[in-house]
Amino acid sequence: MKNWFKNIGPGPLIAAAFIGPGTVTLCTLAGVNFGFNLLWAMLLSIVATIFLQEMAARLGIISQKGLSEIIKQEIKNPIFKKIIIGLILVAIVIGNASYEAGNISGGILGLETIFGQWIVKKSFFSFNLMSILVGVIAFAMLYVGSYKFLEKALISFVILMSLSFFITAIITKPNLLEIMKGLLVPKLPEHSLLTVIGLIGTTVVPYNLFLHASLVKEKWSTKQDLKFAKRDTIIAVLLGGFISIAIIISAAAISVKEISNAADLALGLAPLYGDFAKYFLSIGLFAAGITSAITAPLAAAYVAKECFGWKSNLKSNSFRAVWMTILILGVIFSSVGIKPIEIIKFPQIVNGLLLPIITVILLWMMNQKSVLGDFTNSKMQNSIGFFIFLITLFLGIKMILKVFNLF
């Protein structure tokens, strides 16, 4: 058991990254509106994420380079290279800055459900003090600049988040047979298509591929370590997926339809299942917010470092400048209640374009013997990867159409 814990890698950080407030809210709405009927979509998302994240981890360990570095190295056409690197920078760095406000707001919702609102109002100006509290926690953990510290801290938050959501799901006493049917029998109820797309889109996250390829180098460096990385990835993504499933199960217990986020779900569970349900769910929502508030700036800093070719580490000024900027913007937007819709729409469009592009580039990289030697993809891995690419392409098109209100 001690040896197993010793070989835990960045997997829990990846799980912490994709279980953010957006995922929690979407899983809540999936459960409230469609019961257990969309659990199969979550299961499909988990399988796709395991395959893509394993590829990113294998690429990082064998090459000892981040995904952005390898893209710069392997794409020879200078114009195409600049376009791809530009898309990556915009979608990951600017995109994560836009979404950071949502991450911090998610952590705030969890705290407010228990402690109430801490808002200072002066005439037309209002300021949420809890956003500063969440921001300070994230800042302190990132500023330490130690991978091992971040790993242990985020593992603790993921365990807290897991226990919170699992206990909430158990309290609702769900029908196990109905859960199995929801997982194994695909159904597409009326008006559920966008929710299915959203469940996949919040699990298969582009910036996680970059983050994973960069972080595995901090932990492992030889081909013998691949088995540890694979096991770490599978366990962590399964855990993250089970958290999402637990949220859907919890939300399915509520008959009231007027629920828009997990904080509403926490309040809705209280009269039916007691205050314990509310507290467990609120703690889980806080943990989801704080983990994403840490991993989003971290991923952006790694991507910027690799795209610009900085020879830096977690404690360097340039690396810190990127994550500090993103974190501060998130705190400001969440504090004063600004909803930067247009700012968020732009990276959504770019992310919609980036996900299938990165998927196909990742598949191409995984077949380059010059990069991976004997550790290239098998035919089975390529077949599954191509199927995932088709899903991400469909996802990307739907996301862009949704942003332009064309779907």
Side-chain angles (χ1 to χ4, degrees):
M1 182 64 73
K2 185 179 178 182
N3 189 51
W4 185 82
F5 276 108
K6 182 182 176 183
N7 285 300
I8 290 177
L13 279 73
I14 301 306
F18 77 74
I19 304 294
T23 304
V24 174
T25 298
L26 201 60
C27 289
T28 298
L29 295 176
V32 167
N33 295 323
F34 306 106
F36 300 148
N37 288 320
L38 299 186
L39 287 175
W40 64 269
M42 200 65 245
L43 187 60
L44 177 66
S45 305
I46 294 166
V47 173
T49 303
I50 286 172
F51 272 93
L52 289 179
Q53 295 297 158
E54 187 279 328
M55 289 181 200
R58 183 163 23 116
L59 191 67
I61 291 171
I62 298 300
S63 68
Q64 285 296 291
K65 292 179 180 177
L67 186 52
S68 303
E69 291 177 277
I70 298 171
I71 289 172
K72 284 174 65 180
Q73 171 189 301
E74 292 298 312
I75 297 178
K76 305 303 180 185
N77 185 300
I79 296 173
F80 187 53
K81 183 189 292 188
K82 286 179 180 178
I83 291 171
I84 295 297
I85 294 298
L87 273 172
I88 291 168
L89 278 170
V90 169
I92 306 298
V93 179
I94 298 177
N96 283 12
S98 301
Y99 295 135
E100 184 67 357
N103 295 331
I104 293 171
S105 297
I108 292 169
L109 279 174
L111 291 175
E112 285 181 344
T113 307
I114 300 174
F115 300 109
Q117 292 186 332
W118 294 359
I119 297 176
V120 175
K121 290 186 178 180
K122 295 288 183 181
S123 62
F124 296 106
F125 178 77
S126 66
F127 196 83
N128 195 326
L129 295 176
M130 276 194 179
S131 63
I132 297 177
L133 175 62
V134 175
V136 167
I137 294 170
F139 182 93
M141 292 175 69
L142 284 165
Y143 194 82
V144 170
S146 166
Y147 169 74
K148 287 185 178 179
F149 172 78
L150 275 176
E151 182 183 76
K152 289 176 181 176
L154 287 177
I155 286 172
S156 300
F157 275 115
V158 169
I159 291 171
L160 177 66
M161 181 165 49
S162 306
L163 290 172
S164 298
F165 289 129
F166 287 149
I167 291 170
T168 306
I170 291 168
I171 287 171
T172 64
K173 297 178 182 179
N175 185 315
L176 296 180
L177 183 61
E178 291 298 314
I179 290 173
M180 292 307 296
K181 283 172 64 178
L183 284 168
L184 302 176
V185 181
K187 291 181 182 177
L188 204 62
E190 193 177 358
H191 306 304
S192 66
L193 181 59
L194 280 181
T195 306
V196 170
I197 294 168
L199 288 173
I200 297 170
T202 58
T203 310
V204 186
V205 183
Y207 85 71
N208 262 352
L209 299 173
F210 292 90
L211 184 61
H212 207 172
S214 297
L215 288 177
V216 286
K217 305 195 288 8
E218 306 280 350
K219 182 76 177 184
W220 297 300
S221 58
T222 67
K223 60 184 181 183
Q224 285 77 27
D225 294 324
L226 285 173
K227 60 182 180 182
F228 300 122
K230 187 173 184 178
R231 183 175 64 191
D232 177 63
T233 301
I234 292 171
I235 292 172
V237 175
L238 280 175
L239 178 61
F242 288 147
I243 292 171
S244 297
I245 288 170
I247 298 166
I248 295 173
I249 291 169
S250 302
I254 300 293
S255 57
V256 181
K257 299 296 180 182
E258 295 177 5
I259 290 178
S260 59
N261 57 48
D264 292 341
L265 174 60
L267 294 172
L269 284 171
L272 292 173
Y273 302 102
D275 282 338
F276 283 116
K278 179 182 79 172
Y279 291 134
F280 282 123
L281 194 63
S282 300
I283 291 167
L285 183 57
F286 166 71
I290 198 73
T291 52
S292 293
I294 292 165
T295 52
L298 187 66
Y302 269 115
V303 168
K305 168 183 175 288
E306 291 165 9
C307 285
F308 292 117
W310 297 336
K311 301 295 180 184
S312 57
N313 55 43
L314 271 71
K315 293 184 178 181
S316 68
N317 291 335
S318 55
F319 192 89
R320 281 176 169 169
V322 175
W323 66 252
M324 280 183 188
T325 301
I326 288 169
L327 184 58
I328 290 168
L329 285 173
V331 170
I332 291 170
F333 285 142
S334 62
S335 297
V336 298
I338 296 174
K339 294 181 180 179
I341 299 300
E342 297 307 318
I343 298 175
I344 289 174
K345 276 187 178 181
F346 182 59
Q348 273 187 325
I349 296 168
V350 180
N351 264 323
L353 289 169
L354 187 67
L355 185 55
I357 291 171
I358 292 301
T359 303
V360 80
I361 288 176
L362 180 62
L363 283 171
W364 174 57
M365 297 291 183
M366 299 310 295
N367 288 279
Q368 298 300 307
K369 285 196 172 288
S370 59
V371 177
L372 287 165
D374 295 329
F375 296 94
T376 53
N377 271 359
S378 65
K379 288 182 179 179
M380 177 64 76
Q381 286 171 320
N382 280 331
S383 299
I384 294 170
F386 182 69
F387 176 67
I388 294 170
F389 163 69
L390 292 178
I391 293 172
T392 59
L393 183 63
F394 177 72
L395 244 178
I397 292 169
K398 291 295 184 186
M399 175 62 78
I400 293 165
L401 292 176
K402 186 182 176 185
V403 167
F404 283 112
N405 296 317
L406 298 175
F407 181 78

